[in-house]
Structure formats: C-alpha cells, structure tokens
Amino acid sequence: MEEKRLRIAIQKSGRLSEKSLEIIRSCGIDFNSDSRVLREVASNFPLEFLFVRDDDIPTYVADNVADIGIVGRNELDESGYDLNVVRDLGFASCRLSIAVPGEFEYTGLKCLEGKRIATSYPRILSSVLERNGVSASLVTVAGSVEITPAVGIADCICDLVSTGTTLKMNGLKEVEEIYWTSAVMISRHGFESDGERYGILKRLLLRMDTVNNAKKKKYVLFNLPADRIDEAAAIVGGMKSPTVTPLLDRSWVSVQSVVAEDRFWSVFEDLRVLGAEGILVMPIEKMSD
Ligand code: ATP
Ligand code: ZN
C-alpha cells in the first residue's frame, strides 16, 4: 500500500518561499529544493510539496488538493474560505494601507467617500470601508497597484506596505493602516478526522514548536559562591530548577539553567550583583516542553 503523505502547498517563488522552506528544513526534513518542480517529496519524512502561486494556496487547501499551506493571512482572508489557522509563523509581516498622491488631502477614511480606490484586496478593503460607513468604488488590479493613480484609473490605492519605499518611489504617501498580516499555516476544518495525515501534521508541529521554543531561550552557565544558590535560583527560574554542580573549591558551585531571551539581560545583571562569575551564554538548537 502507498505510504500516506501530508501534502503542503508552498509559494513557488516569492516573498514567502525561502522562509517557508527554511521552517521545514529546520525540522530536519530533507528535500531537493533546487529544481522547484511543481511537486516534490521529502526524503526522510512523509511530506509532499506543491509549489504554487500564493493566491491559489487557500483554494488548494479548501479543495483538498493540499492538506496544509503556508500563506499570508491577507490571501487567506481575501480568498473568503473558512480555513483553520494552525500556526501564526510571524514572518512576512506587513500591513494593508491606504496611500494617496501628494496633492490628495487626506482627512480620514470618510474622505474616501465616492473615490476610486485601486487594490488587489477588494474583499478585505470593502469590509473595512463598510464597517466605517464609507462607500467608494473599488478598482481591482492584480499587481502594480501603485501606478494606478498616475495613469488615472484610481484616485488612491490600498496596498501591502512593509517599508513604504515603493510607495514613495511612486509619489504616494501612506495615510492609513487598515489591516495587519503575517504568514500563517492553514488547514481545513475537520482535518483532525483524517487520522493518518493529521498524525503527520502533529509530528511536524511538534518539531516546529520544538525549534521555535529553543529560539526564544538561552542556555546559561555560571560559577557562584555556594551560599548564594537560593537567590540565584530565584533569579534564573528555569524549566524546573537550575542544575547545581559542586566545584573542587567547595565554597563555589557551577549553575546551569535555561533563560528566556527577553529576560536575559536583567537576569545577567542580577547574577553579576549576586557575585556570579564566568557567565557563559549559549544558543539552544532544539527544546521540548
Ligand atoms: P505569486 O506569484 O505567488 O502570486 P505575489 O507577487 O502575489 O506572488 P509576493 O509579492 O511574493 O506575492 O508576496 C507574498 C506575500 O508576502 C504577500 O501576500 C504578503 O502576505 C507578504 N508580504 C510581506 N511584505 C510584503 C510587501 N512589502 N509587499 C507585498 N507583500 C508582502
Ligand atoms: Zn500572489
């Protein structure tokens, strides 16, 4: 019988591609990514890749062509499909913004009443306009939204912005952020009932979470006067309690613990005050709960 594989849809070529593959690779899954054929099978994990345009990813997942996909939340919401967000992957974050030509006097969403707004995201934009009681006429274009005011087919635009450089280059100014997005992993509702494939997804998620956990933590090792252990334990916290090893000089101990990256500098300073010496900080490659 053919081995069941989890099918994942990934953007073939674009802003999401490299990061998406990097996440899979960081889970120890090997595949040949040079050829970028439409289909690819991992060599050491039951995973099959479909490389497609990002706009099509929600459709593939909804239609059961793929089991999961990595796509911008913007494309998911714009597709209108009711799918499950399995994980927010945090990369490719940007915003949908209203941008207007230099001479346009923007005073708020209300001033867009009756205006022509060009966008690739008519569904998201119209829901925002509707919520704000604004009725405008939307001009849907697939790309190069930023040139539409200059060529006279729109008064302003609503487009994805990350740094704003593209807008400036086209003589537009960003005046209102209306929606925020980043890459998400999606699946169908009810996918849990596919025992075998869902089981593979759970294995993949466990690996992803393990790698992700590790990224947010540091492994800390230091020497400490033995009579300060309790205070040090209170400072570092750690998964259970820190590991304490006696040194040859019995008045000192060596302490090992795991510290959240965002707490690291305050922990470091407190430990120094306590008399810790030789503080070593190391990255953690993988960490389970
Ligand atoms: P495709 O050929 O697959 O349709 P595309 O041109 O539609 O590609 P990209 O430009 O690669 O798509 O963008 C993919 C996603 O990256 C966007 O849908 C969005 O979620 C995210 N993104 C992050 N920053 C930006 C940005 N500055 N401009 C556009 N998209 C961005
Ligand atoms: Zn696209």
Side-chain angles (χ1 to χ4, degrees):
M1 207 181 79
E2 200 192 340
E3 182 197 23
K4 281 235 174 142
R5 297 192 195 101
L6 181 73
R7 300 161 304 175
I8 184 169
I10 283 180
Q11 187 186 27
K12 185 170 169 63
S13 149
R15 288 186 156 93
L16 305 175
S17 310
E18 274 317 307
K19 261 298 197 172
S20 302
L21 293 179
E22 199 182 300
I23 288 175
I24 304 296
R25 230 179 261 122
S26 74
C27 294
I29 298 173
D30 292 332
F31 51 90
N32 175 9
S33 61
D34 306 331
S35 52
R36 288 287 171 83
V37 288
L38 181 63
R39 252 194 163 94
E40 186 72 63
V41 174
S43 60
N44 59 352
F45 195 82
L47 187 69
E48 181 176 328
F49 299 86
L50 287 173
F51 295 112
V52 296
R53 284 198 56 189
D54 70 338
D55 316 51
D56 296 331
I57 292 177
T59 315
Y60 280 155
V61 173
D63 289 350
N64 201 3
V65 175
D67 303 307
I68 58 172
I70 296 180
V71 71
R73 195 181 280 272
N74 50 304
E75 290 296 342
L76 170 63
D77 287 345
E78 188 58 33
S79 77
Y81 288 113
D82 180 18
L83 296 170
N84 198 10
V85 171
V86 184
R87 289 287 183 280
D88 191 326
L89 302 171
F91 71 92
S93 47
C94 58
R95 53 196 185 266
L96 258 182
S97 287
I98 305 285
V100 301
E103 65 279 7
F104 191 117
E105 271 184 44
Y106 184 85
T107 53
L109 282 175
K110 287 269 187 240
C111 80
L112 298 176
E113 183 72 32
K115 294 282 194 283
R116 297 165 304 162
I117 314 174
T119 189
S120 305
Y121 298 94
R123 183 188 290 265
I124 298 174
L125 175 58
S126 56
S127 87
V128 172
L129 292 177
E130 204 174 301
R131 242 183 289 136
N132 287 275
V134 176
S135 103
S137 86
L138 304 195
V139 180
T140 304
V141 287
S144 302
V145 184
E146 61 282 354
I147 66 156
T148 55
V151 298
I153 60 166
D155 302 305
C156 59
I157 69 166
C158 170
D159 201 10
L160 289 173
V161 183
S162 53
T163 59
T165 322
T166 316
L167 291 181
K168 282 204 197 90
M169 273 165 32
N170 286 280
L172 299 170
K173 55 182 185 201
E174 182 180 7
V175 289
E176 184 109 28
E177 301 181 2
I178 64 160
Y179 174 93
W180 294 264
T181 172
S182 57
V184 290
M185 179 177 277
I186 54 173
S187 73
R188 270 180 309 288
H189 288 300
F191 181 50
E192 305 82 70
S193 61
D194 185 329
E196 223 168 324
R197 288 201 170 110
Y198 184 63
I200 303 170
L201 174 58
K202 285 206 296 195
R203 283 175 62 201
L204 178 65
L205 291 176
L206 178 63
R207 292 190 186 195
M208 281 168 53
D209 294 344
T210 302
V211 173
N212 220 15
N213 268 343
K215 270 195 207 137
K216 292 181 257 164
K217 306 278 166 88
K218 294 280 174 216
Y219 192 77
V220 181
L221 199 110
F222 54 91
N223 292 336
L224 187 78
D227 56 354
R228 314 308 296 264
I229 293 175
D230 290 341
E231 290 152 280
I235 292 169
V236 296
M239 282 193 292
K240 285 213 172 67
S241 48
T243 306
V244 180
T245 323
L247 295 183
L248 203 53
D249 174 350
R250 291 288 154 161
S251 62
W252 283 78
V253 289
S254 163
V255 182
Q256 304 165 41
S257 192
V258 171
V259 173
E261 171 125 62
D262 55 0
R263 285 183 57 233
F264 170 72
W265 284 110
S266 81
V267 168
F268 178 84
E269 284 159 6
D270 291 350
L271 288 176
R272 296 270 302 176
V273 171
L274 205 59
E277 288 180 4
I279 303 176
L280 269 180
V281 184
M282 286 169 282
I284 300 173
E285 194 180 82
K286 301 195 175 57
M287 190 176 116
S288 77
D289 287 334

